[in-house]
Amino acid sequence: MRTIDTIQIGDTASFSKTVTEGDICLYAGISGDFNPAHMNAERAREGMFGQRIAHGMLSAGFISNVLGNQLPGPGTIYVSQELRFVKPVFINDTVTATVTVTQRDEGKNRLKLETVVVNQRGETVITGTATVMPPKKA
């Protein structure tokens, strides 16, 4: 577990995952989002991307993985997240979520982090900024 006193501006951590059809189906079931862009191949072919896409929030969830498991890590509390969805994620894309510490406020126990998700081609699919409360010192 990392606390604010051990985290420095510029610290970074990442998580990679290949997005499968199963992931998309499970996310739809959990969230209730059965948009045809995600679930119906025929309808998706007629859409702007020409094929099914993953839910944007599924990919954004990989940012949460990094924050809760690595940087800062277990016990971290999300305060806010700003997201911009730049490109779609398709079935079998491998995406990497990376967070980088950009600001520290020890008095308020807050960190601001740049959040970026890229695909296997190095294309940015999500950009954003998160504010979190790391675990307090023991």
Side-chain angles (χ1 to χ4, degrees):
M1 168 179 68
R2 296 183 65 185
T3 57
I4 198 163
D5 59 319
T6 66
I7 297 170
Q8 301 301 315
I9 291 174
D11 285 356
T12 188
S14 298
F15 170 77
S16 295
K17 167 103 173 69
T18 300
V19 177
T20 67
E21 182 170 3
D23 295 327
I24 293 169
C25 291
L26 287 168
Y27 188 86
I30 291 166
S31 68
D33 181 353
F34 293 94
N35 181 331
H38 310 304
M39 305 305 297
N40 186 313
E42 286 184 33
R43 292 272 307 274
R45 265 194 293 281
E46 299 167 1
M48 66 187 312
F49 301 115
Q51 61 182 303
R52 289 172 54 200
I53 60 172
H55 301 77
M57 293 307 289
L58 172 62
S59 297
F62 303 141
I63 297 167
S64 181
N65 173 308
V66 178
L67 297 172
N69 291 308
Q70 296 182 59
L71 181 63
T76 296
I77 302 299
Y78 240 133
V79 175
S80 67
Q81 175 75 60
E82 176 187 314
L83 296 170
R84 182 168 172 260
F85 298 95
V86 180
K87 286 186 177 278
V89 172
F90 300 106
I91 296 170
N92 295 321
D93 275 357
T94 299
V95 295
T96 301
T98 302
V99 304
T100 304
V101 178
T102 59
Q103 293 178 23
R104 298 171 67 239
D105 184 337
E106 286 194 55
K108 292 184 179 179
N109 193 44
R110 299 282 193 279
L111 294 172
K112 189 166 265 192
L113 304 103
E114 174 187 56
T115 58
V116 179
V117 181
V118 299
N119 63 23
Q120 70 275 10
R121 293 175 294 283
E123 301 166 330
T124 299
V125 298
I126 301 175
T127 62
T129 305
T131 302
V132 300
M133 294 174 16
K136 292 211 177 224
K137 299 179 201 178

